[in-house]
Amino acid sequence: MTGDGRVTVQLCPGGPMLLRGADEVVADDGTVHPVGRPVVALCRCRRSQRMPWCDNSHKARRTDRADRADRPERSDEN
Amino acid sequence: MSEAVIRALTVPTGPRPVPSPDDARRVTDPLTDRDFQLALWMLYELHYRGFDGIDPDLEWDPLLIAARRPMEAALEAAVRELAAVDDEPTTAKEVATALTRMTNGCGAGELATFLGRHATKTQFREYLAERAVYHLHESDPQSFVLPRIDGPAKVALAELQYDEYGSGRPDRIHAGLYAKALTSLGIPTDLLTHVDRAEATTLASVNTMSLFALNRRLRGAALGHLAAFEATSSLPCAAIAEGARRLGLPPEVADYYDEHVEADAVHEQLAIRDICGALVENEPALGADVVLGAAACLAVDGLAADVLLDRWRDLRSAAS
Ligand code: FES
Ligand SMILES: [Fe+2]
Ligand SMILES: [Fe+2]
């Protein structure tokens, strides 16, 4: 994908792993996911709802908990 | 002011009245003034697609450029006031830390959560129509920044933009995916239809991007804005995609948002580390502007989201 056949991996602190130049990703269960963009983010926190891709759940959990602790749900407001 | 701009665009021969510096200075709250935002939006649009039947030479018409300057100054002052920040990161690491700190707590946000869980079909359609003002031109402002930066930041911005523009597939251009979502619901994809009805704050959100992107001086702010935008997109998009499925909307709608859950999880990292980090490493003096741009994105887009939420809240209390 990078044109020169180079595949690289970049680890993001507290977040996913960026993978450049791959053609496919084989998940835990053997499913083959074709790579459709120049860089993909692979989940490292195992909380993603869209494995093997990062869906930013690595942040959401902390936020969700904080939200629940100090604010009622919107549905409770009416 | 918007009337004056329309007149200046449609009667293009000889001297024409255009909005004056005093007109711009008299605007008390540029961010919520629809007439002001619409006038500025039209002037900026000359640099993007222009208008059918309007002389393309007007893009660099000295009268219009002169009219635009005080308006831009008014918008910039309002944005700086709203987004006041006193952080001045000067290394890649400090920039990443600042941007991560600013965006980490945002979660899905109230608007996306509402769309995900409670919005009616009508409200969902209203949201799509309102946001069309940006998404039909998605990522175009940031392309103006490419020739203004160098080195690794430029490479990373090009990589991000390539993905926004479909990663080599014309049928996957993000703006096009949005248009498909609109079409699937019978909503027009003609930009002017949506601009005509858009809230001041929605236009302000788009104009802020153009302000940063079309003034080379503000390139740091343009890229900080991009980083905050991307870093606060994945989680809201997941919630909105859920809303589209909850309401049984055509798959094209969820497709746009699903694409952004994955894409923006990548874009966030690219924008924070490889674009803004590299930019500041190369030009440390731009650190403060990067943070300003990010704060501006959060503040102005927050304002635009609140306007929509308030509209629906009022409707609900009126109905009960
Ligand atoms: S690393 Fe982002 S969701 Fe797991
Ligand atoms: Fe996009
Ligand atoms: Fe993006």
Side-chain angles (χ1 to χ4, degrees):
Chain A
M1 296 275 299
T2 39
D4 57 2
R6 228 158 58 104
V7 178
T8 62
V9 157
Q10 183 183 354
L11 302 180
C12 305
M17 169 175 116
L18 296 188
L19 179 61
R20 274 189 182 78
D23 291 322
E24 56 187 38
V25 169
V26 185
D28 292 14
D29 60 359
T31 324
V32 178
H33 299 265
V35 170
R37 55 183 87 251
V39 202
V40 287
L42 295 181
C43 174
R44 292 199 293 158
C45 74
R46 316 218 43 95
R47 294 173 192 151
S48 172
Q49 306 288 303
R50 295 166 198 245
M51 290 298 261
W53 317 122
C54 164
D55 68 354
N56 255 346
S57 295
H58 59 269
K59 298 197 272 197
R61 279 175 66 96
R62 265 174 286 156
T63 326
D64 273 352
R65 258 191 235 127
D67 269 350
R68 237 172 273 145
D70 48 39
R71 265 200 306 171
E73 297 275 352
R74 272 194 65 79
S75 53
D76 301 336
E77 285 168 21
N78 356 322
Chain B
M1 300 178 89
S2 56
E3 286 295 317
V5 170
I6 292 171
R7 245 179 292 123
L9 291 177
T10 45
V11 194
T13 41
R16 291 143 287 147
V18 293
S20 73
D22 277 343
D23 291 337
R25 274 193 290 268
R26 266 197 295 271
V27 173
T28 47
D29 184 7
L31 292 169
T32 57
D33 190 313
R34 203 187 113 82
D35 179 51
F36 171 87
Q37 293 295 342
L38 181 60
L40 184 54
W41 183 87
M42 288 188 285
L43 293 173
Y44 279 146
E45 184 61 12
L46 293 170
H47 294 290
Y48 295 95
R49 312 294 155 81
F51 304 94
D52 283 347
I54 300 295
D55 182 359
D57 264 353
L58 288 174
E59 178 182 0
W60 295 108
D61 181 80
L63 267 177
L64 292 176
I65 299 288
R68 195 181 87 194
R69 296 301 298 149
M71 297 174 72
E72 290 189 287
L75 176 61
E76 185 177 343
V79 167
R80 281 184 186 274
E81 197 186 320
L82 184 74
V85 277
D86 56 0
D87 201 356
E88 287 184 31
T90 52
T91 64
K93 202 164 174 235
E94 284 169 13
V95 167
T97 306
L99 293 174
T100 306
R101 182 166 19 84
M102 293 168 78
T103 54
N104 246 4
C106 295
E110 224 184 327
L111 178 61
T113 305
F114 177 79
L115 289 163
R117 297 184 190 163
H118 310 293
T120 62
K121 252 183 209 180
T122 311
Q123 289 166 335
F124 205 104
R125 291 173 61 99
E126 267 183 56
Y127 172 77
L128 290 174
E130 186 74 27
R131 292 294 305 155
V133 175
Y134 172 63
H135 292 301
L136 290 174
H137 276 4
E138 187 166 324
S139 300
D140 285 345
Q142 292 76 25
S143 290
F144 280 116
V145 186
L146 273 169
R148 299 176 167 175
I149 58 174
D150 272 314
K154 186 192 201 92
V155 174
L157 179 58
E159 189 175 54
L160 191 158
Q161 293 295 86
Y162 179 70
D163 206 22
E164 296 286 351
Y165 293 143
S167 290
R169 293 179 51 186
D171 62 323
R172 298 299 293 174
I173 293 179
H174 285 181
L177 295 181
Y178 200 83
K180 277 185 210 156
L182 295 178
T183 304
S184 75
L185 290 167
I187 302 173
T189 56
D190 153 54
L191 188 58
L192 286 181
T193 308
H194 300 295
V195 169
D196 273 348
R197 294 183 205 148
E199 298 280 355
T201 42
T202 300
L203 295 173
S205 148
V206 178
N207 285 339
T208 301
M209 287 189 229
S210 294
L211 168 74
F212 292 160
L214 289 170
N215 286 278
R216 189 174 63 83
R217 167 178 65 88
L218 295 170
R219 63 199 178 284
L223 298 180
H225 187 290
L226 172 67
F229 189 97
E230 298 288 357
T232 54
S233 171
S234 262
L235 296 172
C237 284
I240 299 172
E242 272 327 300
R245 280 186 273 271
R246 171 179 62 81
L247 291 166
L249 302 180
E252 287 85 349
V253 182
D255 182 44
Y256 173 85
Y257 292 100
D258 283 329
E259 161 70 10
H260 281 81
V261 175
E262 276 170 34
D264 289 346
V266 181
H267 297 173
E268 162 178 358
Q269 303 298 340
L270 292 181
I272 290 182
R273 288 161 218 293
D274 297 351
I275 299 176
C276 291
L279 177 81
V280 172
E281 210 59 43
N282 200 27
E283 298 186 84
L286 294 183
D289 279 356
V290 168
V291 174
L292 165 75
C297 172
L298 300 176
V300 176
D301 289 4
L303 216 57
D306 286 345
V307 167
L308 293 182
L309 281 168
D310 286 347
R311 187 202 290 172
W312 296 329
R313 210 174 278 141
D314 289 350
L315 267 182
R316 276 189 296 170
S317 45
S320 58

